[in-house]
Amino acid sequence: MKIAITGHTSGIGKALTEVFPNSIGFSRKNGYDLHNPIIREKMYNEISDCDVFINNADLGWNQSSLLYELWKKWKDKDKLIVNIGSDAADYNQPVARPYNIQKRALQDACLQLQQSQQPCKVVLVKPGYVDTPRVQHITATKMDPEELALYIKEIVELRYSTFWIPVITLYPR
């Protein structure tokens, strides 16, 4: 099974790279600024033979764009796109926070594509706080990124099962 991961050099992406040691990584650190549509197109060409794509990099609105663009290329193929969202998408806050709204857009995009009944399956993983550099300043119970990566690996391995998990929310204990 060939896997591609965005945002593979830190946090959840780094843990996923350790769980999937033969994966291909894409991030700014190796020349892939995925905010740029030309660079995303280059990446799509390089992953055409991958079986699984993990849409992990926090690209703001571009995370949803990346999902739509890749799904158009893969929708007729037996492939899997795993999107790393956030439980923050479910919070109604009195002040609009772009992160929450962007993750809600990703969630809605996943739900829309899941209903298409195409061979390419779309999964949304919505973790609570994960102990990554992005949230080191927040005092809260956090999940271990390596443990989260192992759960995601189990979801990916279900790809060969007779069922799939379209959405899962995971909270730290």
Side-chain angles (χ1 to χ4, degrees), residues 15 58 78 80 83 91 105 117 135 152 162:
D58 179 16
D78 182 24
L80 179 67
N83 299 275
Y91 299 152
Q117 301 297 311
V135 297
I152 293 168
T162 58

Side-chain angles (χ1 to χ4, degrees), residues 33-73:
D33 181 353
L34 298 173
H35 289 95
N36 183 329
I38 295 168
I39 300 297
R40 286 198 306 268
E41 194 61 41
K42 177 182 175 190
M43 181 191 68
Y44 301 142
N45 291 331
E46 292 180 29
I47 65 168
S48 63
D49 62 338
C50 286
D51 306 295
V52 178
F53 181 82
I54 302 179
N55 186 9
N56 169 66
D58 179 16
L59 301 170
W61 300 109
N62 287 317
Q63 191 176 13
S64 295
S65 297
L66 189 153
L67 168 60
Y68 278 121
E69 292 164 5
L70 181 60
W71 187 83
K72 285 179 188 173
K73 296 174 184 310

Side-chain angles (χ1 to χ4, degrees), residues 152-165:
I152 293 168
K153 182 179 182 189
E154 289 182 29
I155 292 167
V156 168
E157 289 172 348
L158 286 174
R159 174 177 186 272
Y160 300 107
S161 180
T162 58
F163 64 91
W164 61 290
I165 298 171

Side-chain angles (χ1 to χ4, degrees), residues 92-110:
N92 291 320
Q93 307 233 339
V95 176
R97 291 187 52 219
Y99 178 82
N100 297 42
I101 296 167
Q102 290 159 354
K103 291 298 185 177
R104 179 60 192 223
L106 178 65
Q107 177 174 300
D108 289 347
C110 289

